[in-house]
Amino acid sequence: MAWGRCGELWHSVGYLPREQRGLASKAAELELELNEHSLVIETLREVDPTRKCYRMVGGILVERTVKEVLPALESNKEQISKIIETLNQQLQAKGRELNEFREKHNIRLGGEDDPKQPPKEGAEGAGAKGSSAGVLVS
């Protein structure tokens, strides 16, 4: 029974950060796509609305006019923005879940101190550190 619990913890320790990185990666990818949409929209607004333009739809290049394509691009941009907002909310929730999990199971990463213990400083270490901080000697 104890091994099952340990395996479950081990799985969660690896799974939660991996899931968080996946959300962050997808949000970054969509941010790039949003920027591309913004650049294209900005460019097309300065062009004659009856001018021909080409748009990739499902892997097929389709000829349209600027006045047909511009509203679709603006709609896509809004949808991408909403998806990014949702992903960011999920990312924050996943971060909170990960922190709660780490606190609940007392999991510390390398280099982290236990917040319940006072910092370890010797009397001479604190004095030497404080006296040379921010001083430039030439």
Side-chain angles (χ1 to χ4, degrees):
M1 195 69 143
W3 283 106
R5 177 90 171 124
C6 182
E8 192 177 304
L9 285 175
W10 185 252
H11 173 73
S12 295
V13 166
Y15 177 73
L16 290 173
R18 221 179 4 255
E19 192 174 336
Q20 188 179 30
R21 281 190 301 271
L23 288 170
S25 173
K26 188 62 177 176
E29 179 184 324
L30 288 174
E31 284 284 348
L32 290 174
E33 200 168 314
L34 184 67
N35 289 337
E36 288 177 7
H37 272 71
S38 296
L39 287 172
V40 172
I41 289 169
E42 208 174 289
T43 303
L44 289 180
R45 283 191 179 143
E46 299 170 6
V47 177
D48 178 30
T50 60
R51 184 174 173 178
K52 288 182 191 177
C53 67
Y54 296 90
R55 180 173 182 216
M56 186 75 73
V57 178
I60 299 171
L61 198 58
V62 180
E63 181 180 319
R64 297 277 187 247
T65 61
V66 171
K67 70 179 177 184
E68 293 172 328
V69 170
L70 197 55
L73 285 174
E74 289 170 340
S75 172
N76 285 354
K77 182 182 171 190
E78 288 176 24
Q79 290 174 356
I80 292 170
S81 293
K82 288 178 185 176
I83 292 171
I84 290 171
E85 187 177 318
T86 302
L87 282 174
N88 285 332
Q89 290 171 355
Q90 290 175 353
L91 187 60
Q92 289 174 354
K94 191 57 64 180
R96 284 190 299 272
E97 180 183 351
L98 181 60
N99 288 337
E100 289 169 4
F101 181 83
R102 288 176 55 202
E103 282 181 25
K104 178 180 177 185
H105 298 287
N106 198 24
I107 297 172
R108 303 281 173 247
L109 298 178
E112 282 186 351
D113 292 331
D114 189 359
K116 295 175 186 171
Q117 294 180 356
K120 298 176 183 175
E121 273 189 82
E124 63 207 36
K129 191 176 191 179
S131 65
S132 65
V135 176
L136 177 63
V137 180
S138 55

